[in-house]
Amino acid sequence: MSTVVVSIVSTGILGAAFGLGLAYASKKFAVETDPKIEQLVEALPGANCGGCGFAGCQQFAESLAKGESPVTGCPVSNSDQQSAMAAILGVDLSGAGGRLIAQVQCHGGNKEALKRAEYTGIQTCRAAQAVGGGFKACEFGCLGLGDCVASCPFDAIHMGENGLPEVDPIACTGCGNCVKACPRSIIDLVDEIKPVHVRCKSLAKGKEVKAACQVGCIGCKACERVCPTGAITVTNNVASIDYDKCTACGLCVEKCPTSAIEFEERLREQLSQTAS
């Protein structure tokens, strides 16, 4: 009986000793966490989409707390959420850029762009691109098989009737998943209030572009010559816009002979009201 008692007592003493040791170790080696991190996680949208470049909102919040990332680094967050994070961190949001949304820089759909072959393989853009560089006559244009649509976690992009992806500017969060998914790199993230876009990425010469697509950029430089601010230039046979210089005057849109440059209609009325 005494042996049993001794065993119980010994076990109790050992248990208490281990408990005290663990308690001491937990205090001695505890990693202090910044209380701001939890607040930032709550302020973030919680999408965990990876658009910020981190694995999820927790890692982005940790980077924010260390001052390693900007408050605007989460493309999914809205202005209210960014203001909340700025308040937590005690930073000034003035001068921060506008919200970015996806812009499909190609409008050579089924009606405008020719095909050089019929494709019956796996119905993804990436698979089609891997088979001889795609089935369209233009090797730079949208293939229209919807990899961007499948990649969007916010249901903000859909395939239109003309075989081109269409972005919902309200639902789009600018997470960039569609940009990464496109094998031809024809989707850009652009400030939501920028209305003028070159809807072509072709580097082919004008004659080749005309043979492949009715609305492609032919590199004629008419837009470049008419732009009063030098915001649009032609390099490697295709026009591109410096959005920081563009004043949305629309002269390049009017001058383009193939309608490769577009003034986004959703912003035309809004900008005209602002100007007046």
Side-chain angles (χ1 to χ4, degrees), residues 8 10-11 13 19 22 33 39 43 60 80 88 101 111 116 124 172 187 202 213 217 243 245 249 256 260-261 265 272:
I8 293 173
S10 299
T11 302
I13 293 172
L22 289 172
T33 58
Q39 297 174 30
F60 179 63
D80 291 338
I88 294 168
I101 64 172
K111 297 177 182 178
R116 61 183 177 85
T124 68
C172 179
I187 305 178
S202 176
C213 181
C217 175
Y243 288 103
K245 294 180 180 179
C249 68
C256 181
I261 310 174
E265 287 301 322
S272 63

Side-chain angles (χ1 to χ4, degrees), residues 84-213:
M85 289 185 282
I88 294 168
L89 296 170
V91 299
D92 185 9
L93 263 183
S94 61
R99 186 174 71 96
L100 300 180
I101 64 172
Q103 290 286 351
V104 180
Q105 309 294 33
C106 172
H107 61 177
N110 296 332
K111 297 177 182 178
E112 300 84 11
L114 300 178
K115 292 182 180 180
R116 61 183 177 85
E118 288 298 326
Y119 176 69
T120 57
I122 299 172
Q123 295 297 295
T124 68
C125 299
R126 197 162 295 279
Q129 179 67 16
V131 180
F135 53 86
K136 278 195 169 182
C138 174
E139 61 180 289
F140 302 94
C142 177
L143 290 167
L145 295 178
D147 289 21
C148 52
V149 176
S151 74
C152 181
F154 304 100
D155 196 32
I157 188 165
H158 303 91
M159 294 307 299
E161 293 181 359
N162 197 27
L164 290 173
E166 298 176 354
V167 177
D168 180 342
I170 297 176
C172 179
T173 63
C175 71
N177 284 1
C178 57
V179 177
K180 299 172 187 175
C182 179
R184 290 193 162 185
S185 302
I186 62 161
I187 305 178
D188 296 329
L189 294 180
V190 181
D191 192 310
E192 64 175 337
I193 63 169
K194 298 297 182 179
V196 180
H197 309 285
V198 179
R199 303 294 192 192
C200 182
K201 292 269 190 173
S202 176
L203 302 180
K205 293 182 178 180
K207 184 177 180 180
E208 297 173 25
V209 172
K210 284 185 174 181
C213 181

Side-chain angles (χ1 to χ4, degrees), residues 26-42:
S26 65
K27 292 183 178 180
K28 180 71 175 177
F29 302 106
V31 178
E32 293 187 6
T33 58
D34 190 336
K36 291 180 181 178
I37 295 176
E38 185 176 347
Q39 297 174 30
L40 290 167
V41 170
E42 292 179 0

